[in-house]
Amino acid sequence: PVELAFSLQGNQPRIALATRLKTRLTIDLDKQQYAFEGLDLESKGEAAGIGNLVLKASGDASARPQTGEFSAQKLSLGVTGLLGKDNLEVRLEAPRLQLAKERFATDKITGSVKLSSAQGGTTANLILPGLECTAQAFKSGALSLDVESKQGEQTLRAKLSSPVAGNFEARQLNLPQLVLSVAASGPHLPNKTISGEFKGSGAVDGARQSAQAALAGKLAESNIKARVSVAGFGKPALTLDADIDRLDLDAFLPPKK
């Protein structure tokens, strides 16, 4: 068994972490292979603006430096702490990661982020069914992202799904079959609830610092076609072009006394 304990200190950004690492290390000199079983990492302190930080990671890993091969199994990452006045909780699970001959692949990756306070909170859950990467490009099956936000009596739910493809060299990300569903509830909404679904596509071009999405669908009783574009990521300029066949604004106004 291998046990290590060390601390990290720094400013700009502020870092103060006490870290402990435990694992079982096996070395096969004939195969030039290093195996780490039962990895157990824990860090406590402050980093990235997160106070009362507790980071825990576990899993198994092996590496062959001469051939550039790396694999990991049963990876688990958990983070808790305080972000401002909000409680933060992050979880990430990856059953298998494999790197070999400039190709990287994973099985299904799941993750979640939760922010909570006395006024409400937001939860996001991510499922990535599997990722295949080369040195130039990457692709995945249908990514799924679920978000729920509650503030007082208001609740907003959104779900986004699409296959994902991209190019590292061109710094491009594409969502070719984008499906977005939204639902909101609260005492001031028509019938106390409103929902809709949109389909289309989206793309991000990092080299040109631009992003765009084209969606069409229905929200409440309105048929909507919309195109959204963003130019410049430092000081973004947002452009929205929408075609709405009908819009009942009276339904969103407070009831008359």
Side-chain angles (χ1 to χ4, degrees):
V2 177
E3 294 189 23
L4 297 174
F6 55 92
S7 61
L8 298 174
Q9 302 286 334
N11 294 310
Q12 297 181 352
R14 164 80 172 159
I15 299 175
L17 291 174
T19 303
R20 175 189 57 80
L21 172 65
K22 293 182 180 180
T23 188
R24 294 186 300 275
L25 173 62
T26 303
I27 301 176
D28 188 327
L29 294 177
D30 293 333
K31 296 181 179 179
Q32 290 293 297
Q33 180 172 334
Y34 303 84
F36 301 87
E37 295 181 276
L39 277 167
D40 182 9
L41 173 71
E42 182 179 78
S43 287
K44 295 182 178 181
E46 178 184 356
I50 303 173
N52 294 340
L53 174 66
V54 178
L55 182 151
K56 295 182 179 181
S58 62
D60 301 322
S62 64
R64 290 184 175 181
Q66 284 191 337
T67 59
E69 294 178 81
F70 173 82
S71 65
Q73 298 81 34
K74 299 180 290 184
L75 288 184
S76 176
L77 173 69
V79 177
T80 60
L82 283 174
L83 186 61
K85 295 183 179 180
D86 295 334
N87 294 305
L88 172 68
E89 184 177 340
V90 180
R91 292 285 182 269
L92 182 67
E93 304 284 342
R96 180 185 68 90
L97 305 177
Q98 186 167 9
L99 173 65
K101 297 180 180 180
E102 296 186 349
R103 289 185 174 273
F104 176 74
T106 74
D107 289 340
K108 182 176 73 171
I109 296 174
T110 60
S112 66
V113 178
K114 182 178 181 181
L115 279 171
S116 59
S117 66
Q119 291 72 38
T122 300
T123 302
N125 294 297
L126 172 71
I127 298 176
L128 195 63
L131 188 65
E132 296 180 7
C133 303
T134 65
Q136 294 79 31
F138 62 92
K139 65 178 181 179
S140 172
L143 168 150
S144 176
L145 176 64
D146 290 88
V147 180
E148 179 177 284
S149 181
K150 293 184 177 181
Q151 292 294 327
E153 297 179 306
Q154 311 293 329
T155 300
L156 173 65
R157 296 182 179 89
K159 182 175 182 178
L160 180 150
S161 65
S162 174
V164 180
N167 188 291
F168 294 116
E169 293 182 340
R171 297 166 59 189
Q172 293 178 342
L173 172 68
N174 295 297
L175 303 172
Q177 299 173 25
L178 186 60
V179 178
L180 174 64
S181 59
V182 294
S185 61
H188 303 302
L189 291 173
N191 299 318
K192 297 185 178 181
T193 184
I194 187 171
S195 62
E197 182 176 272
F198 301 88
K199 297 181 179 181
S201 62
V204 178
D205 190 327
R208 296 182 178 179
Q209 292 197 16
S210 66
Q212 62 180 10
L215 296 168
K218 192 171 185 177
L219 179 65
E221 299 301 319
S222 301
N223 292 301
I224 301 173
K225 293 181 179 180
R227 180 176 292 273
V228 182
S229 62
V230 177
F233 294 159
K235 295 182 179 179
L238 176 66
T239 302
L240 173 62
D241 183 12
D243 181 8
I244 305 174
D245 67 344
R246 58 178 293 187
L247 183 61
D248 185 5
L249 292 177
D250 291 338
F252 294 89
L253 296 177
K256 294 181 179 180
K257 295 182 180 180

